[in-house]
Amino acid sequence: MHGGGVDTDKHNGADSASLREKVQLRRGEKWRILKNIITVSVAFMVQFTAFQGTANLQSSINAKEGLGTVSLSAIYAALVVSCIFLPTLVIRKLTVKWTLCVSMLCYAPYIASQFYPKFYTLIPAGILLGLGAAPMWASKATYLTQLGQVYAKLTDQSVEAIIVRFFGFFFLAWQTAELWGNLISSLVLSSGAHGAAAAVDGNGTGSPHSSDPNLDSCGANFCVVETSDNANLQRPPDSEIFEISAIYLSCIVAAVIIVAVFLDPLSRYGERRRGSISATEISGMQLLSATFKQLKKANQQLLILITVFIGMEQAFIGADFTQAYVSCALGIHQIGYVMICFGVVNAICSIIFGSAMKYIGRVVIIILGLYGALFRRNKEAAFSNYRLWESVGFVVAYAYSTNLCARMKLYLLFGVLVCGMIGYTIVEIRQLKKEKRLKQLEEIPKQQQTDADRKAIEEDDEKDELEEDIVVTHL
């Protein structure tokens, strides 16, 4: 089959895990691959325009009894469970594309719950979102990584460089969601009664001055239990929150439609090929064990703390920073404008780091796709572990959010970062040694290789038969 089709050799009675799928593609297929990368990136941008905008407001608009922070904690607690049990199972049953669609829909109830924010609405909706998030992120990572391998084969370029470039573009689009989501909330809140009151208030109750004693309890000195009398933390009118939520809910629906209509299924590029979880006809418990088996690998263990830090840092920015440094001092209506700056810088860095990869090495992949490069053969399980430990970081940060002051939270973040970077540095050293050893082994003629040499090459985590299974045609 020519063009973008797939030719699979079937053997009657054979386990489908032994199938060797041949993917026949024309050189021109690279443009279709780029279209798919753009599609999934735009879909996530629209999706997280809604979620990031909503999440950034939670600690401020639903501050009563810590409802907003508790709901965010529920999301990531559910995500921890989801990372362990769901990604490989859901991807196996639904395939990557439809896993994306179903998982993205799980975000809608949480946004809708903003119309009636109670513990019995936000918490269940947050749990559903968390359960859907892990399969969604695992599917996205698998899709980008596999298309990167195919594109590298078509263009005769480095697989690692292409994967980083694809992830860089994706995160560029994804980070701009911070801009659009916060711009929406800022425009609505600033133009409404809440923002107007702050603009005309000269006594510090809406637009604080440096003489306002409330400022002494903001920033690093911020403690949730000591700021109940701060007028800047008052909830905006329901009408404004409802308007924002309606816009965000529309974004979720639009994102799902984009994926369903415009994204090619991964089967076009060898989804059910040997070595892929999607291709393996094994029991649910065996699929579940893939996530746990990944934890036995030394590199995976060494990356745990830096991954936990990524979650803790994002939780701090989304909940503690917005409340302690922005809402407390400037007012809730200013959160969006401040976070827009954060999103713009993140988007710019995604471009810079992705393009600079070929000059500065793999160090920046820790935020762009390190797991896909280290564990290509076990992409689904690897990215599942990434989301697992990142979610643990979110849960830990949200768990102490209302009990510790901002200063102590900063100390904790710094300590975890230092320990995480030590582990990451060890991974880099181990990987360099491994690559050097494998290169030496591969230079030995096959007839002179020992059984141990051949086993080391065959068990290489970075070895993925997909590159060998792609057949480039000129038809």
Side-chain angles (χ1 to χ4, degrees), residues 151-419:
Y151 191 87
K153 177 77 172 185
L154 289 171
T155 58
D156 298 319
Q157 297 185 60
S158 164
V159 173
E160 186 176 273
I162 292 298
I163 290 175
V164 173
R165 195 176 304 166
F166 282 179
F167 271 84
F169 179 81
F170 170 84
F171 279 107
L172 165 64
W174 181 72
Q175 292 289 3
T176 60
E178 193 83 51
L179 189 160
W180 307 121
N182 290 302
L183 182 61
I184 290 170
S185 65
S186 295
L187 291 176
V188 173
L189 293 175
S190 296
S191 61
H194 189 268
V200 299
D201 193 339
N203 298 321
T205 56
S207 182
H209 299 283
S210 58
S211 59
D212 191 339
N214 280 334
L215 291 179
D216 294 336
S217 62
C218 296
N221 298 321
F222 182 83
C223 300
V224 175
V225 295
E226 299 175 4
T227 55
S228 58
D229 60 339
N230 191 327
N232 287 332
L233 298 175
Q234 292 180 354
R235 176 183 165 92
D238 286 346
S239 60
E240 296 177 16
I241 295 176
F242 292 170
E243 182 180 350
I244 294 171
S245 299
I247 297 171
Y248 288 162
L249 194 58
S250 301
C251 289
I252 299 294
V253 175
V256 174
I257 293 174
I258 290 172
V259 172
V261 175
F262 299 105
L263 191 70
D264 288 326
L266 193 57
S267 57
R268 184 182 183 89
Y269 305 104
E271 180 171 17
R272 297 187 179 279
R273 39 168 288 281
R274 189 174 69 181
S276 168
I277 284 187
S278 298
T280 309
E281 296 285 353
I282 55 179
S283 70
M285 288 307 297
Q286 286 175 304
L287 286 170
L288 174 61
S289 70
T291 300
F292 290 106
K293 286 180 180 178
Q294 187 69 19
L295 278 173
K296 295 180 180 179
K297 299 181 179 180
N299 282 348
Q300 183 72 68
Q301 295 168 3
L302 288 166
L303 289 172
I304 287 176
L305 274 183
I306 192 65
T307 311
V308 169
F309 167 78
I310 292 173
M312 292 177 67
E313 176 267 336
Q314 291 182 73
F316 179 84
I317 292 294
D320 299 311
F321 176 77
T322 54
Q323 190 176 28
Y325 290 84
V326 185
S327 295
C328 180
L330 304 175
I332 294 176
H333 65 288
Q334 293 291 341
I335 290 177
Y337 293 121
V338 173
M339 296 305 288
I340 284 172
C341 297
F342 174 74
V344 169
V345 173
N346 268 334
I348 293 173
C349 288
S350 291
I351 299 176
I352 294 175
F353 291 150
S355 301
M357 166 64 190
K358 56 186 175 182
Y359 303 110
I360 61 177
R362 190 173 53 227
V363 176
V364 298
I365 303 185
I366 189 63
I367 58 171
L368 300 179
L370 176 57
Y371 279 65
L374 284 178
F375 312 110
R376 283 188 211 160
R377 181 179 289 180
N378 302 293
K379 292 186 290 291
E380 294 94 339
F383 284 115
S384 177
N385 270 275
Y386 172 83
R387 298 307 302 183
L388 167 65
W389 294 110
E390 183 189 43
S391 300
V392 169
F394 274 102
V395 173
V396 169
Y398 287 134
Y400 63 61
S401 181
T402 57
N403 300 313
L404 298 180
C405 295
R407 190 180 302 276
M408 182 57 66
K409 295 173 186 176
L410 290 171
Y411 290 146
L412 286 173
L413 279 174
F414 183 74
V416 176
L417 173 60
V418 171
C419 294

Side-chain angles (χ1 to χ4, degrees), residues 18-52:
S18 66
L19 296 181
R20 188 62 173 266
E21 189 177 77
K22 293 296 182 182
V23 184
Q24 293 192 4
L25 300 169
R26 293 175 296 182
R27 291 282 180 185
E29 184 72 17
K30 64 182 182 180
W31 300 111
R32 187 154 187 158
I33 291 175
L34 293 177
K35 182 270 293 184
N36 286 318
I37 297 298
I38 293 172
T39 298
V40 73
S41 299
V42 170
F44 269 73
M45 178 190 71
V46 176
Q47 174 92 352
F48 279 84
T49 289
F51 177 68
Q52 295 281 44

